Amino acid sequence: MSLKEQFGKDVLLTGWGHSRFGKLAEETLESLIVQVATEAIGNAGIEPGQIDEIYIGQFNSGMMPLAFPSSLALQVSPALANVPSTRVENACASGSAAFQQGTKSLLAGTARTVLVIGAEKMTHAGADVVGAALLGADYDMAGKPSTTGFTGLFAEVAKHYEKRYGPVSDVLGTIAAKNHRNGVDNPYAQLRKDLGEEFCRTVSDKNPMVADPLRRTDCSPVSDGAAAVVLSVSPTGGATAPVRLAGFGQANDFFPAERRDPTAFAATRTSWQRAMAMAGVGLADLDFAEVHDCFTIAELLMYEAIGLAEPGQGARAIEEGWVFKDGKLPINVSGGLKAKGHPVGATGVSQHVIAAMQLTGTAGDMQIAGARRAAVQNMGGVGIANYVSVLESV
């Protein structure tokens, strides 16, 4: 049973916009939001006054003084005056949380056209400010001093994995190299350089150990950026064919680390299963997936959480080439968070935009030939807030 069969209506991605990701000193949160929102509305072939509701995904958590950005999208046009607009926050999954809230407005019938935006400004803040903000997404470390920040938390995940299943350093290096290579073809990506496996696998002055066993190349960068998508219940005559949301899922895990298996990502698995069940599809029906690789160990665990490999066997997916662009399930052809960048609130919306571009044949050098169906997986915290969407060509 698809989403349309279950709810009796379509949810379509009818327009989208995407900024460059990186250190964008010349941009403000407002300018980024206005840029991508304007692009998405234009791409959808509608007028601003046709927007019924707006959702903005943003984490912030003290990284910038303005903590109330919900009305910034109204700067696009006077026609947006009095349109309901809400900021949505769920750590690094804030973008997908906003996307699902927009979806539910359409399904509830309170809106026919929704604008969803994800945006974040991070690079202006000091490393200590960013580190403390991100640690606010962890139950055990929030408000505590740390020299390794969120990297240290995922390093602990990697250590647990190695203790249970064996060394992963070289595998993580190959994942990093894959995503850096993919990022070269993404004009929005922050890191567009093919670093190669040897560099990514080796600790060096240019690739230091950040938190053992995670090197710099195992970590996504601090980024600025934004993305936006228009959701509608019917086609809007936009620049491209629309993309259908076939299914979606969300699952949250317990917050204290002691209540979670650090290598299972159980709620991630559940959110994936819920989305796939709603869409009525299986793994073999997907042409590609964009997953939340904030750190390379996270991507390795995603291979297992989505059922591509059995627990402890995720290395097979990379060693046997399954997740490369020409493999049976390409993963993060955009470069992922690792190379594209990770402006926290923007990430989930960006993943949906990149997937929509692929499914409409407009992804340029990133394009996967004949792509018809995809999954997007976005995560907040260490496997805490989890969102999955299944998208398909119309």
Side-chain angles (χ1 to χ4, degrees):
M1 178 179 290
S2 68
L3 179 151
K4 185 175 183 179
E5 292 169 332
Q6 183 171 338
F7 293 98
K9 63 176 69 177
D10 257 330
V11 173
L12 301 175
L13 289 71
T14 54
W16 42 84
H18 202 298
S19 79
R20 183 170 58 89
F21 281 6
K23 187 173 183 178
L24 309 180
E26 71 283 5
E27 301 286 357
T28 64
L29 184 68
E30 179 180 336
S31 69
L32 287 167
I33 287 173
V34 170
Q35 174 194 332
V36 297
T38 301
E39 186 180 347
I41 292 169
N43 184 257
I46 63 174
E47 296 298 324
Q50 293 175 259
I51 299 293
D52 298 316
E53 200 165 355
I54 301 169
Y55 287 97
I56 296 181
Q58 187 214 22
F59 179 50
N60 192 356
S61 194
M63 287 186 288
M64 63 178 301
L66 181 64
F68 184 45
S70 59
S71 279
L72 290 179
L74 274 57
Q75 302 294 83
V76 169
S77 168
L80 290 175
N82 302 319
V83 171
S85 185
T86 305
R87 176 196 174 213
V88 180
E89 188 281 311
N90 222 355
C92 298
S94 295
S96 286
F99 181 91
Q100 286 202 12
Q101 289 302 114
T103 294
K104 291 172 182 177
S105 287
L106 297 184
L107 296 178
T110 58
R112 291 182 55 83
T113 305
V114 175
L115 174 63
V116 178
I117 304 166
E120 207 78 65
K121 275 286 291 182
M122 303 173 69
T123 64
H124 64 284
D128 56 337
V129 174
V130 174
L134 296 177
L135 281 176
D138 185 75
Y139 180 88
D140 301 289
M141 289 301 297
K144 297 179 181 178
S146 172
T147 58
T148 56
F150 232 77
T151 307
L153 300 179
F154 275 88
E156 288 302 310
V157 171
K159 289 175 182 177
H160 281 288
Y161 191 94
E162 288 190 320
K163 184 176 180 179
R164 188 174 297 181
Y165 299 118
V168 295
S169 181
D170 283 354
V171 172
L172 299 185
T174 303
I175 292 173
K178 169 184 74 73
N179 290 348
H180 274 286
R181 173 63 191 88
N182 288 345
V184 172
D185 294 330
N186 184 352
Y188 305 120
Q190 180 170 355
L191 304 174
R192 301 185 67 189
K193 186 174 183 180
D194 185 358
L195 297 177
E197 281 193 44
E198 183 177 355
F199 180 85
C200 292
R201 287 181 166 190
T202 306
V203 176
S204 65
D205 289 343
K206 292 185 177 181
N207 189 26
M209 189 71 74
V210 180
D212 191 20
L214 302 183
R215 298 148 296 215
R216 180 178 291 165
T217 50
D218 293 306
C219 311
S220 58
V222 173
S223 316
D224 305 327
V229 63
V230 173
L231 302 180
S232 310
V233 294
S234 58
T236 58
T240 68
V243 170
R244 176 178 290 114
L245 177 65
F248 63 91
Q250 178 190 356
N252 273 53
D253 211 335
F254 293 105
F255 213 2
E258 64 184 17
R259 300 196 66 181
R260 289 177 277 118
D261 180 334
T263 68
F265 279 38
T268 305
R269 183 184 297 271
T270 298
S271 63
W272 181 272
Q273 292 169 342
R274 288 173 176 168
M276 298 290 278
M278 183 184 290
V281 300
L283 201 62
D285 298 310
L286 300 178
D287 295 305
F288 68 95
E290 288 287 320
V291 308
H292 194 97
D293 64 320
C294 50
F295 300 93
T296 52
I297 183 62
E299 180 166 328
L300 179 65
L301 285 168
M302 292 311 156
Y303 300 160
E304 300 173 14
I306 69 177
L308 188 59
E310 293 297 317
Q313 298 297 312
R316 289 189 62 197
I318 193 80
E319 291 169 350
E320 299 187 23
W322 302 343
V323 295
F324 287 85
K325 190 172 182 177
D326 58 354
K328 67 178 184 179
L329 184 65
I331 299 284
N332 289 337
V333 173
S334 68
L337 286 60
K338 174 79 259 311
K340 183 179 60 177
H342 184 27
V344 177
T347 287
V349 183
S350 167
Q351 290 175 311
H352 285 84
V353 170
I354 295 293
M357 292 172 64
Q358 288 282 3
L359 295 173
T360 54
T362 58
D365 290 340
M366 292 185 284
Q367 188 65 51
I368 298 170
R372 300 288 298 172
R373 186 178 289 114
V376 165
Q377 179 271 325
N378 188 201
M379 175 178 71
V382 186
I384 304 298
N386 301 272
Y387 296 82
V388 176
S389 299
V390 178
L391 306 176
E392 59 187 22
S393 300
V394 174

